[in-house]
Amino acid sequence: MQSSWKRLRRNKGAVAGLLVITLAVLVSISAYLISPDHTPDANRMVLEIEGQHPGFRTTMLAVQKERAVPSVSFFQRLLHGQESDVTWIPIRSWHFKDSALVIQRYVDESTSREEVYSLEQVWYGLPSAAPMPLSRLQENIRHRRIFTQTYWLGSDKFGRDILSRLLLGTRVSLGVGCIAVIISLSIGVLLGAVAGYFKGRTDDAVMWLVNVVWSMPTLLLVFALTLALGKGFWQVFIAVGLTMWVGVARIIRGQVLAIRELEFVEAARALGYGHVRIIVKHILPNIMGPVMVVAAGNFATAIVVEAGLSFLGVGVQPPQPSWGLMIKENYNFIITHNPLLALAPGIAIMLLVLAFNLLGNGLRDALDVRSKI
């Protein structure tokens, strides 16, 4: 392992891929903490500012909601976000008039309209008895209810922050890759090891199943499984994983066929060890290199397949953010005035898939025992 790690560190592409993957994992874990929109699914809609360019900046008025919003624990916020207790209203200008707040509400780039809110409505929600003095109430609203919001990557057609949804979409891409790799490795390693070790009719039966599954178009098979399991977050994970095990099984079978004839396996049989112990304790540890390489490749494939399914509407369902779904929602902006709304998630998919492919190539070279240290 030390020599393999040395070879891997010398591969600049693999190191760069590993750094990108590590950064993506950290972003997926802390997405709700670092994103500008910390509401569940980054789904804060401000329809007046839909389809804005990256770097768009506007003044917002935060009006307290009429109903109370319960606060959640830090762990729940980390996992699911925190529902906002205020409603954002984009404004062009504002001023106080006695016990009221007069605003010019942003309608579009050339239009605004005047609205009047009582100070109690802005601060407390519904007008109520306000024990706070008028001057202090105005000061609190000035500093805590009126602020400038920047949309660094623009806003989508519903006025949601693209950057927040892009960060949160990292969870879906990494999640589908992780679940798909676990499922594909579990099934593929099991069937491949059994076919390669026992050979004969067992090998013929397993390879017949592999050839049947492999003869079906991958995307069509994923469609069928998705429709059978239903549309949703976990269903697409399982559907993608159930279509990727055939390649793993073929590779593992070939590796086991070569290793089962070596002397240490014959020695284990001579000592009376059972088949399960020989496969688990003696054969599988010696083929972990190819397994890791296949896992990295399957991870990248799963990300692309999930993005394609979400783009076609049978993957992750709105409002949950997914990079493929973001491309679907914003691809019409490519030929209009704001192509980056669709290009940003596309670039994210490209970078993450490239990172896993570079890491897979680096692992292949590093785990090759015939290469020089």
Side-chain angles (χ1 to χ4, degrees):
M1 292 302 297
Q2 290 181 353
S3 61
S4 297
W5 175 241
K6 288 180 181 178
R7 287 193 292 269
L8 184 64
R9 283 187 302 177
R10 286 201 298 265
N11 189 321
K12 295 181 180 179
V15 172
L18 186 59
L19 290 176
V20 171
I21 294 168
T22 303
L23 179 62
V25 171
L26 294 176
V27 166
S28 67
I29 294 173
S30 59
Y32 278 117
L33 302 181
I34 64 177
S35 62
D37 184 0
H38 57 265
T39 59
D41 295 326
N43 196 40
R44 188 197 298 272
M45 296 185 185
V46 186
L47 297 178
E48 294 91 340
I49 57 170
E50 56 89 18
Q52 293 295 336
H53 288 274
F56 174 75
R57 178 175 295 182
T58 186
T59 303
M60 290 287 186
L61 169 66
V63 177
Q64 186 72 30
K65 289 182 177 178
E66 297 180 3
R67 61 181 181 85
V69 176
S71 60
V72 298
S73 64
F74 174 79
F75 184 69
Q76 292 236 340
R77 183 184 174 191
L78 189 67
L79 290 179
H80 306 294
Q82 167 70 61
E83 185 181 353
S84 179
D85 60 349
V86 296
T87 301
W88 286 8
I89 299 175
I91 60 177
R92 292 188 182 275
S93 62
W94 59 275
H95 66 273
F96 292 114
K97 184 177 181 180
D98 298 329
S99 61
L101 176 65
V102 181
I103 65 170
Q104 290 294 326
R105 182 166 183 162
Y106 181 102
V107 177
D108 55 38
E109 295 180 358
S110 59
T111 310
S112 62
R113 70 171 182 265
E114 183 176 283
E115 293 183 356
V116 180
Y117 293 87
S118 67
L119 300 186
E120 291 83 0
Q121 183 180 3
V122 174
W123 187 253
Y124 296 107
L126 283 175
S128 60
M132 194 179 299
L134 181 61
S135 60
R136 186 179 172 191
L137 193 57
Q138 290 178 342
E139 190 70 16
N140 283 339
I141 291 175
R142 180 183 292 110
H143 293 290
R144 299 176 62 182
R145 287 290 191 260
I146 300 174
F147 58 94
T148 300
Q149 179 68 21
T150 302
Y151 290 80
W152 298 105
L153 291 181
S155 59
D156 65 8
K157 64 180 182 180
F158 299 107
R160 298 175 297 193
D161 182 45
I162 289 289
L163 176 59
S164 299
R165 292 180 65 80
L166 192 71
L167 295 176
L168 200 57
T170 310
R171 289 187 174 186
V172 175
S173 294
L174 291 179
V176 71
C178 185
I179 300 299
V181 165
I182 291 174
I183 294 175
S184 64
L185 289 185
S186 300
I187 300 175
V189 170
L190 174 63
L191 294 181
V194 168
Y197 182 82
F198 291 104
K199 298 196 299 186
R201 292 184 178 178
T202 304
D203 185 24
D204 294 339
V206 171
M207 294 312 298
W208 175 84
L209 178 62
V210 167
N211 291 331
V212 168
V213 176
W214 214 337
S215 65
M216 304 178 188
T218 302
L219 200 57
L220 185 61
L221 186 58
V222 172
F223 278 162
L225 289 172
T226 303
L227 294 176
L229 297 173
K231 299 178 182 179
F233 185 67
W234 293 104
Q235 289 87 333
V236 68
F237 287 10
I238 297 172
V240 173
L242 290 177
T243 60
M244 298 176 61
W245 63 269
V246 288
V248 180
R250 289 180 67 95
I251 292 174
I252 298 302
R253 170 184 173 272
Q255 295 290 321
V256 173
L257 280 174
I259 291 179
R260 74 182 300 277
E261 307 298 337
L262 298 181
E263 289 80 0
F264 70 91
V265 178
E266 292 293 337
R269 290 199 194 98
L271 290 172
Y273 294 154
H275 299 310
V276 175
R277 176 167 179 171
I278 294 174
I279 293 174
V280 174
K281 295 273 189 180
H282 300 277
I283 295 180
L284 291 184
N286 286 279
I287 60 174
M288 290 308 297
V291 169
M292 294 175 66
V293 175
V294 172
N298 282 356
F299 218 116
T301 303
I303 293 172
V304 175
V305 172
E306 182 278 325
L309 289 175
S310 297
F311 181 83
L312 295 173
V314 295
V316 175
Q317 298 300 298
Q320 188 169 18
S322 163
W323 291 344
L325 186 60
M326 291 174 66
I327 296 175
K328 176 188 177 182
E329 293 173 344
N330 300 300
Y331 75 93
N332 57 314
F333 289 108
I334 293 178
I335 58 174
T336 56
H337 64 289
N338 200 353
L340 191 61
L341 298 184
L343 293 180
I347 292 171
I349 294 171
M350 181 194 70
L351 289 177
L352 196 55
V353 170
L354 178 61
F356 276 104
N357 284 329
L358 290 175
L359 180 61
N361 293 337
L363 288 173
R364 180 195 61 201
D365 298 336
L367 296 172
D368 185 1
V369 296
R370 292 171 295 182
S371 62
K372 296 180 179 180
I373 299 178

